[in-house]
Amino acid sequence: MHSTAIEYTKSKSLSSERVYPSITRQSWITALAFMLSLSLTGLLFYPALIVSIAMMAKAYRENRYNFIIMLLLFGGSYGMTKDTTLPIKAYDICLIVSVILAFIFIKAPIVKRTLTIIVGYGIGLLIIASFSAELMSIQLYTWRNYIAFILFIIPIVVFSRKEFSLHEFWIALMPYVLLACIFYIIDGFILCGNVLMPATAASRLSTFFDPLMSPFSFHLFRKYPPGLFPMVLVVYPVAKYYKLRVWQWAVIFMGLMASLTFTVITGFFAAYIFFRFGIRRLFQTILIGIMAMVAGYFIDGLLPEVKKGDVIESKLRIKSGVDQFFELMDATDDEDIAQFASGRMAQILPKIEIISDEGRQLTGLGFLHPEKNTVNRYVITNEYYSDISENEEVAALVEVIPVQIYISTGWIGLILHVIFLILLYLLIRRLKESAYFISVIFCCVWFGLGGFCGLIYVHGLLIAAVAFSAVILNSRSSLPGFPKTTPQPIYNRFHH
């Protein structure tokens, strides 16, 4: 299989000079074919699933970088499919495989230590969950998502006897990331619906025979951002090692704009600027961004407002976002506070009240399930929602990840979560490119403030696990316990 071709001058190190990645036609075709097969699967055209599986099998034999990326997209359900698209969740299949592999491939000390941290984290969460009024059998449905980091073992095993280059992996990611942005642009600005990225939030299900779209209507169709999450894996290499063409930057920018998601857009650019230029330039950029936002605020104010459910937003979501902070400062009661952050505080307040009333600040309410709940007192009528038809809910979910952790596991669980992430980084801190893992954690935490790509959900932890594995594989020759590797075909080079 042909792959990405890159040329470079040996006298100049990659760390001192950024280079242009050059993606071959075959790499584009492979990525496009696989992503379209997933999109068709997400549209419930199930014969396409055969193509997806066949392509993964072929990639495993011929190009394992592609295999890992394909498995990431398949298992994480990033906008092209949903976790409910198949009768059995792809993540659950990967989880079972990971547990089996964890018992087999444990010779390398760094793998043993990582598994020890994950098992300790999982057991700690179960102990906290035992204080909940909910049945443990119900809580396990949500708990299993928290331990998704165990999927780090899959890339380790896939490359157990194969050479691995972090730069080859990064370049292999490029066509998938750019195509995801192109899919967002086409869906958001041309088709105005859910076709290429069918599994983003919408008013109704989009299917192959009944697609949700309004071609060339040119109304602003917001594409929720899960399909953009894998882009987190290239923020660091683009900041440190690669230059992008103008058209590539335009594709990334327009793809992000199609999501209209402030935390995701700012998170990507904040991470890029920080790892490219450092903290000083980041603060300078924030200042410029504030000035641009002031201009955008007045422009957005001239556009017609949009009603979404019980929330009225400005067209570009700039003015409505800023206005919330002014409204928060003028808030006189809980109902005023509830409207902050696009109504997220309306989700949070009643759950926090239950925790306070029951004295569960240390351990939270447990891993409650929004559909399988068995504790009647946790079914609440949320008086802070203005839409009374949707105000009955289980006190299970909110859209701010740190608050979600607190509601489920209390202060003890939140502290345990932070310790878990710190211990993972300490394991690899001395390895080359360990900052790559930090860049992914940075983005996921930032996005998590808006409820996206959290490190308690599969789509966030799977990305973090792949980055963690890549750092280990990149330094494998200096680590004990790994088998000898055999050379692979050289897929990628660097192009000035």
Side-chain angles (χ1 to χ4, degrees):
M1 176 183 291
H2 297 291
S3 189
T4 310
I6 306 174
E7 301 170 358
Y8 68 97
T9 303
K10 291 183 180 180
S11 60
K12 295 181 180 180
S13 69
L14 289 172
S15 60
S16 62
E17 183 173 348
R18 294 162 71 233
V19 294
Y20 287 113
S22 178
I23 306 168
T24 65
R25 180 182 178 183
Q26 184 59 47
S27 296
W28 281 111
I29 292 173
T30 300
L32 178 60
F34 181 75
M35 293 177 70
L36 285 176
S37 72
L38 284 185
S39 295
L40 288 170
T41 303
L43 289 168
L44 306 185
F45 185 74
Y46 289 112
L49 180 61
I50 300 173
V51 178
S52 300
I53 295 173
M55 290 193 70
M56 285 193 287
K58 188 173 188 290
Y60 182 82
R61 294 193 307 269
E62 299 180 359
N63 186 330
R64 297 197 179 181
Y65 298 105
N66 268 337
F67 173 76
I68 292 301
I69 298 166
M70 291 175 178
L71 188 63
L72 170 74
L73 298 180
F74 181 76
S77 302
Y78 295 102
M80 290 169 284
T81 60
K82 292 183 178 180
D83 59 4
T84 56
T85 298
L86 303 177
I88 301 175
K89 293 183 179 181
Y91 162 65
D92 286 332
I93 298 172
C94 294
L95 180 61
I96 293 170
V97 171
S98 298
V99 172
I100 295 171
L101 293 177
F103 283 102
I104 298 172
F105 196 89
I106 57 172
K107 291 183 179 180
I110 195 167
V111 174
K112 288 182 181 179
R113 293 180 191 128
T114 305
L115 290 171
T116 300
I117 292 172
I118 296 170
V119 170
Y121 176 60
I123 292 174
L125 292 176
L126 286 177
I127 293 172
I128 295 171
S130 68
F131 291 92
S132 173
E134 182 58 277
L135 297 173
M136 184 61 73
S137 59
I138 300 299
Q139 295 190 71
L140 290 176
Y141 282 99
T142 301
W143 171 85
R144 80 190 198 286
N145 295 326
Y146 277 65
I147 61 166
F149 198 87
I150 197 172
L151 271 65
F152 89 98
I153 195 72
I154 294 180
I156 298 290
V157 174
V158 167
F159 281 92
S160 64
R161 296 186 180 275
K162 298 291 183 180
E163 288 185 352
F164 180 90
S165 165
L166 194 49
H167 289 281
E168 298 242 355
F169 172 66
W170 286 335
I171 299 301
L173 276 163
M174 292 295 183
Y176 294 91
V177 166
L178 291 172
L179 282 170
C181 292
I182 292 171
F183 282 13
Y184 265 75
I185 294 169
I186 294 173
D187 266 6
F189 301 119
I190 299 175
L191 298 180
C192 302
N194 286 340
V195 179
L196 296 175
M197 286 285 179
T200 53
S203 57
R204 68 170 177 84
L205 180 67
S206 182
T207 67
F208 181 77
F209 295 105
D210 185 20
L212 174 63
M213 63 177 179
S214 181
F216 302 105
S217 64
F218 300 110
H219 74 268
L220 195 59
F221 184 88
R222 184 188 178 191
K223 297 284 296 179
Y224 279 78
L228 299 173
F229 295 160
M231 198 193 304
V232 167
L233 290 168
V234 300
V235 172
Y236 177 82
V238 168
K240 298 290 288 185
Y241 298 112
Y242 309 131
K243 293 184 288 186
L244 297 182
R245 310 286 181 183
V246 173
W247 73 266
Q248 293 170 331
W249 277 118
V251 162
I252 290 173
F253 180 78
M254 291 298 293
L256 288 170
M257 289 301 107
S259 76
L260 287 178
T261 306
F262 183 76
T263 49
V264 172
I265 296 169
T266 56
F268 275 122
F269 287 110
Y272 172 79
I273 293 167
F274 175 76
F275 287 100
R276 177 78 183 99
F277 302 107
I279 190 70
R280 181 178 178 182
R281 183 68 66 87
L282 178 59
F283 281 123
Q284 291 174 343
T285 305
I286 290 174
L287 180 61
I288 295 172
I290 291 173
M291 296 169 62
M293 187 173 290
V294 171
Y297 177 89
F298 290 105
I299 294 173
D300 199 14
L302 300 175
L303 300 175
E305 293 181 326
V306 178
K307 181 175 176 58
K308 295 184 177 181
D310 57 349
V311 177
I312 297 177
E313 297 177 340
S314 58
K315 193 75 171 178
L316 301 178
R317 303 182 76 239
I318 298 174
K319 183 177 184 297
S320 56
V322 174
D323 284 347
Q324 290 179 71
F325 286 93
F326 294 123
E327 292 167 1
L328 181 64
M329 290 186 288
D330 294 334
T332 57
D333 54 30
D334 287 348
E335 291 189 4
D336 290 335
I337 296 173
Q339 299 309 311
F340 180 66
S342 301
R344 286 183 174 87
M345 287 302 294
Q347 300 173 346
I348 293 171
L349 287 175
K351 283 88 168 181
I352 297 296
E353 289 173 2
I354 292 175
I355 290 175
S356 177
D357 292 343
E358 296 191 2
R360 294 182 178 272
Q361 290 89 342
L362 291 180
T363 59
L365 301 178
F367 297 113
L368 305 183
H369 196 282
E371 298 169 1
K372 301 179 184 297
N373 171 68
T374 64
V375 184
N376 290 333
R377 69 175 183 271
Y378 292 153
V379 179
I380 62 174
T381 300
N382 194 327
E383 61 185 19
Y384 298 112
Y385 291 159
S386 56
D387 186 350
I388 60 174
S389 65
E390 298 182 359
N391 65 355
E392 186 173 294
E393 63 177 350
V394 177
L397 302 176
V398 297
E399 293 182 31
V400 181
I401 299 302
V403 179
Q404 178 66 69
I405 298 171
Y406 171 75
I407 289 172
S408 298
T409 61
W411 288 115
I412 296 176
L414 189 58
I415 293 170
L416 182 62
H417 179 75
V418 173
I419 293 173
F420 170 66
L421 296 177
I422 291 174
L423 289 177
L424 289 174
Y425 172 68
L426 291 178
L427 268 184
I428 62 170
R429 72 188 186 283
R430 292 192 175 131
L431 301 184
K432 187 178 180 181
E433 306 295 2
S434 61
Y436 179 46
F437 181 63
I438 289 295
S439 72
V440 172
I441 296 300
F442 175 90
C443 288
C444 290
V445 170
W446 189 302
F447 297 171
L449 298 177
F452 300 105
C453 204
L455 292 171
I456 59 173
Y457 299 133
V458 174
H459 48 241
L461 284 169
L462 184 51
I463 289 174
V466 168
F468 183 86
S469 298
V471 172
I472 292 176
L473 289 169
N474 190 57
S475 298
R476 182 175 43 186
S477 59
S478 63
L479 296 171
F482 287 97
K484 292 182 179 180
T485 59
T486 57
Q488 289 197 94
I490 299 175
Y491 301 114
N492 306 317
R493 292 291 180 269
F494 299 91
H495 176 66
H496 286 291

